[in-house]
Amino acid sequence: MPMDAYPLQHLPDEKFVVLVTATTGQGDPPDNMRKFWRLLLRKNLPGDLLSGLQYAVFGLGDSGYVKYNVAAKKLDRRLAALGAEPLLERGLGDDQHPSGYEA
């Protein structure tokens, strides 16, 4: 489901989430993540808001661009800043990988 379709008020009650995102334009989140991202960036959110959440982030990108996978990197950092714990290291897909995008 697109991130913007997810009711963000339920995120603190989740135990596990997997988030997949691309980076568009000059390091922007995709259109279907913008509302979700704006809500996560609110300054009044407590630092322990997501303390019960474990997450995984995977970025879809192309290392030929300066801002390679920046949306996934920022999302990973913001979830951690809100107290969530990563299930595993952030994954960064690269369309320019020598083995292709399926690597």
Side-chain angles (χ1 to χ4, degrees):
M1 109 175 29
M3 286 187 214
D4 280 353
Y6 178 77
L8 197 57
Q9 69 270 21
H10 295 297
L11 193 57
D13 300 323
E14 300 286 0
K15 292 190 187 279
F16 304 101
V17 295
V18 175
L19 301 159
V20 179
T21 186
T23 299
T24 63
Q26 297 301 310
D28 300 317
D31 288 343
N32 66 0
M33 178 187 162
R34 289 178 192 232
K35 180 179 157 191
F36 180 91
W37 183 239
R38 277 194 308 272
L39 290 172
L40 273 184
L41 288 178
R42 290 182 14 210
K43 294 182 194 272
N44 64 341
L45 297 177
D48 63 349
L49 178 69
L50 302 178
S51 62
L53 177 70
Q54 291 186 298
Y55 71 94
V57 170
F58 188 80
L60 304 169
D62 182 330
S63 61
Y65 290 88
V66 174
K67 298 202 175 181
Y68 166 65
N69 265 318
V70 74
K73 293 172 185 176
K74 286 181 177 181
L75 179 59
D76 183 41
R77 284 193 302 266
R78 184 58 179 154
L79 292 170
L82 293 173
E85 292 290 324
L87 283 165
L88 47 99
E89 186 177 335
R90 171 183 63 221
L92 300 175
D94 183 5
D95 195 44
Q96 296 297 317
H97 189 279
S99 299
Y101 67 89
E102 294 177 345

